[in-house]
């Protein structure tokens, strides 16, 4: 009856065989607003997340990113810590309003200097810098004139991409245009649990198209200035969608969520077209014929060198039409509490918490979903290299009386997911690297400082950094390029 399972085959390797390919990239990732702090220093102006976090009731405990992990002032120490942890690469994002405060016009050199110095420090320590241009922090000035709902914002993004490519493009070999545009569009403009906090299904779909367009124009801007050896990409939080049962209604629910969650990006970016079923599902909310103009899809589908995939947990859905006249449709989708759905055109789909172990986010621990996503891209887009650009877990970490942070649950989570990556490699998927989310405990968006994803514990009162047990474990994996002590069941459904 149930369809909650992996597409994958049984593991056949012995634990001793879990060696990764030569040159496999081991890294960790962060985002600007989550760690930098210095929110009003050196010319930086508010982003939508500054505004959102300072709005009462929007963020847990009234937390803001004003100071965060104070990385802006402590980046040299943080890079030294990365080196101690054997990281081969560091994926950071740029604060748009730090380098171009109003989202238009000339750059602020003090802002650019921070990223120049960060890149230089990384290179000096032998760590490859991986730059993400947009991790959700749109300059507030651009939101004030429509944000991602208007076509001018992709133009502004392309100019911003030019600025960054000109500033650090000679030293940064990997570039990502957007991180998780699903969150920017649907959580920001649909359910309102992320900045800018709007709850307008039509606006969410307009934001989808303009984010897609910004990606394509950003790729063009980068390619015009970067060395030919540079690698360009986009990072998507693809959903491994599974139907609760094999009933036709539940299968159609999974199709709908796959369309609005995954193929709305993969279609235009990789195939040059929006899926027809998506257009049918959402046509009552937005006029796609007016939204998508001649030439847009050609711009959006400019070739990329890599696809970044972020994965944390699978998505379990069923048809929820029975709830239309009764209780609210269950929406345990892990994306925050709201009376408004982040799934436009699929508001009747019910979301369920998969069975089994969960993290502090109440996200199910299931590494088979990562395997299945990697193999899906391998099948549908053979030859397209991938990187796992985010994967990790939040747990209720604390300092023991001995001064250590013991997090065996996180080690188990990472070991299972790295086993799934290794399995996908063995089955032909071209996966080039893995970035742990996150290097540091940080401002976890609407959850404030209540959730800890870091491999390194941050005491936010003192800004002291303490590597957790998982950080030392991951450092050994990165050093040896081998996944140790893999239980036979890791990575299986």
């Amino acid at each position: 009856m149930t369809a909650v399972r992996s597409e994958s085959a049984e593991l056949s390797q012995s634990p001793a065989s879990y060696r990764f390919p030569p040159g496999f990239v081991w890294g960790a990732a962060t985002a600007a607003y989550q760690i930098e702090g210095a929110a009003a220093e050196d010319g930086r102006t508010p982003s939508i997340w500054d505004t959102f976090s300072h709005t009462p009731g929007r963020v847990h405990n009234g937390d803001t990113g004003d100071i965060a992990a104070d990385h802006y002032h402590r980046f040299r120490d943080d890079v030294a810590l990365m080196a101690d942890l054997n990281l081969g690469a560091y994926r950071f994002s740029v604060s748009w309003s730090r380098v171009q405060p109003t989202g238009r016009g000339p750059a602020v050199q003090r802002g650019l200097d921070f990223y120049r110095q960060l890149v230089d420090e990384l290179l000096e320590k032998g760590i490859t810098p991986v730059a993400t241009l947009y991790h959700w922090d749109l300059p507030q000035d651009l939101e004030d004139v429509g944000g991602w709902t208007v076509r001018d914002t992709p133009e502004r993004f392309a100019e911003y991409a030019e600025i960054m490519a000109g500033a650090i493009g000679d030293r940064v070999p990997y570039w990502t245009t957007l991180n998780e545009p699903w969150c920017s569009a649907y959580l920001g403009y649909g359910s309102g649990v992320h900045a800018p906090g709007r709850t307008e299904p039509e606006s969410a779909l307009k934001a989808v198209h303009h984010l897609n367009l910004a990606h394509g124009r950003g790729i063009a801007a980068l390619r015009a200035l970067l060395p030919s050896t540079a690698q360009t990409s986009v990072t998507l939080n693809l959903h491994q969608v599974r139907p609760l049962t094999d009933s036709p209604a539940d299968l159609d629910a999974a199709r709908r969520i796959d369309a609005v969650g995954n193929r709305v990006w993969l279609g235009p970016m990789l195939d040059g077209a929006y899926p027809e079923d998506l257009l049918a599902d959402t046509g009552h909310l937005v006029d796609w014929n007016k939204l998508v103009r001649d030439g847009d899809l050609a711009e959006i589908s400019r070739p990329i060198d890599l696809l970044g995939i972020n994965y944390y947990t699978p998505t379990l859905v069923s048809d929820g039409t029975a709830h239309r006249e009764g209780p609210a449709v269950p929406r345990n989708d892990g994306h925050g509490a709201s009376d408004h759905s982040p799934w436009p055109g699929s508001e009747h789909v019910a979301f369920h918490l998969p069975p089994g172990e969960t993290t502090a986010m109440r996200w199910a621990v299931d590494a088979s979903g990562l395997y299945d996503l990697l193999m899906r891209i391998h099948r549908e887009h053979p030859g397209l290299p991938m990187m796992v650009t985010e994967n990790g877990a939040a747990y209720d970490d604390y300092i023991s009386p001995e001064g250590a942070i013991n997090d065996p649950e996180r080690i188990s989570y990472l070991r299972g997911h790295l086993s799934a990556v290794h399995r996908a490699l063995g089955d032909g998927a071209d996966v080039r690297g893995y970035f742990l989310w996150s290097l540091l405990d940080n401002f976890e968006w609407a959850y404030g400082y209540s959730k800890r994803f870091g491999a390194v514990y941050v005491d936010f009162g003192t800004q002291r950094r303490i590597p957790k047990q998982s950080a030392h474990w991951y450092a050994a994996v990165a050093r040896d390029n081998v996944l140790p002590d893999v239980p036979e069941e890791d990575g299986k459904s």
Side-chain angles (χ1 to χ4, degrees), residues 470-481:
S470 60
H472 298 297
W473 180 88
Y474 187 66
V477 173
R479 179 194 64 215
D480 299 335
N481 204 36

Side-chain angles (χ1 to χ4, degrees), residues 158-245:
E159 293 175 2
Y160 160 58
E162 288 178 9
I163 288 171
M164 294 312 305
I168 56 175
D170 58 331
R171 286 159 291 159
V172 176
Y174 294 98
W175 289 80
T176 299
T177 53
L178 309 174
N179 179 81
E180 299 187 350
W182 184 93
C183 295
S184 298
Y186 296 131
L187 301 184
Y189 294 87
S191 67
V193 299
H194 279 192
R198 293 164 64 174
T199 54
E200 306 153 8
E202 179 182 4
S203 294
L205 292 168
K206 288 180 177 179
V208 162
H209 181 62
H210 297 143
L211 283 156
N212 275 328
L213 192 56
H215 159 72
R217 290 179 176 174
I219 290 292
L222 292 173
R223 275 280 158 240
L225 292 173
L226 294 179
S228 60
T229 54
Q231 303 278 291
T232 60
S233 67
V234 66
T235 282
L236 304 176
N237 57 318
L238 297 177
H239 306 265
Q240 180 54 33
V241 187
R242 295 169 176 168
L244 184 65
T245 75

Side-chain angles (χ1 to χ4, degrees), residues 13-75:
Q13 302 108 320
S14 67
S17 69
Y18 279 73
R19 179 170 296 279
F20 283 76
F24 190 84
V25 175
W26 296 101
T30 65
Y33 189 72
Q34 293 184 272
I35 67 165
E36 284 183 3
E41 293 186 34
D42 293 336
R44 186 186 180 278
T45 57
S47 73
I48 55 175
W49 267 98
D50 294 274
T51 303
F52 187 83
S53 66
H54 280 268
T55 302
R58 291 295 200 178
V59 174
H60 176 79
N61 200 40
D63 293 339
T64 75
D66 289 359
I67 299 174
D70 198 30
H71 176 71
Y72 189 78
H73 299 116
R74 300 169 187 266
F75 72 90

Side-chain angles (χ1 to χ4, degrees), residues 69-108:
D70 198 30
H71 176 71
Y72 189 78
H73 299 116
R74 300 169 187 266
F75 72 90
R76 289 187 173 85
D77 291 340
D78 288 341
V79 172
L81 184 56
M82 296 177 211
D84 290 343
L85 296 177
N86 303 317
L87 296 186
Y90 172 54
R91 178 175 175 251
F92 64 95
S93 79
V94 177
S95 168
W96 188 346
S97 60
R98 191 177 296 285
V99 301
Q100 197 184 27
T102 64
R104 61 183 75 240
V108 172

